[in-house]
């Protein structure tokens, strides 16, 4: 296993897997041990990865996280419930909405004298 700072080490599989980000190398060739921060506890420890550990490059982890949190409204179905959860303030359009579907502002602000 050869890591770089920013790579992730995943220990275990499935729901029991733990993830840690490599924050420091002790050998210039990227071999263990590594100083890591555990995602679940925030603890910074010296890790000697065992046989159940595997390395995830930083770029791959960034793609995984981005894909997990990216929801493009153009890709959602009309019945998936998102519209029931997300309420837009009057007059504020979603940046992906075409101009003809934007919500017109019906809210009036009080005047300065009232």
């Amino acid at each position: 296993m050869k890591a770089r700072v920013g790579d992730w080490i995943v220990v275990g599989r499935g729901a029991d897997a733990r993830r840690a980000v490599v924050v420091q190398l002790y050998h210039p060739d990227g071999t263990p041990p590594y100083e890591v921060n555990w995602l679940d506890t925030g603890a910074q420890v010296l890790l000697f990865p065992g046989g159940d550990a595997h390395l995830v490059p930083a770029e791959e982890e960034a793609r995984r996280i981005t894909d997990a949190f990216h929801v493009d409204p153009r890709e959602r179905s009309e019945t998936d419930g998102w519209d029931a959860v997300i309420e837009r303030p009057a007059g504020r359009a979603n940046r992906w909405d075409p101009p003809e579907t934007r919500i017109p502002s019906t809210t009036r602000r009080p005047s300065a004298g009232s």
Side-chain angles (χ1 to χ4, degrees):
M1 181 180 294
K2 293 190 177 195
R4 297 175 301 171
V5 171
D7 286 349
W8 289 77
I9 296 178
V10 180
V11 179
R13 300 267 182 228
D16 295 329
R18 293 185 73 198
R19 302 177 87 75
V21 64
V22 177
V23 295
Q24 183 178 352
L25 300 176
Y26 287 92
H27 302 286
D29 64 352
T31 55
Y34 309 111
E35 190 80 23
V36 300
N37 276 343
W38 288 109
L39 185 62
D40 57 353
T41 64
Q44 188 166 327
V45 300
L46 182 64
L47 178 68
F48 292 84
D52 60 343
H54 66 276
L55 185 70
V56 178
E59 298 81 14
E60 185 178 323
E61 183 68 6
R63 273 193 305 277
R64 186 189 72 82
I65 291 169
T66 301
D67 291 347
F69 288 101
H70 177 72
V71 177
D72 186 340
R74 294 174 293 188
E75 297 172 0
R76 69 175 190 239
S77 72
E78 293 300 320
T79 59
D80 67 3
W82 281 95
D83 289 329
V85 176
I86 300 172
E87 296 180 17
R88 296 183 200 151
R92 301 232 13 223
N94 187 315
R95 66 181 178 182
W96 289 290
D97 287 345
E100 64 274 6
T101 64
R102 293 189 178 160
I103 304 167
S105 177
T106 57
T107 308
R108 293 180 55 192
R109 293 181 182 204
S111 62
S114 39

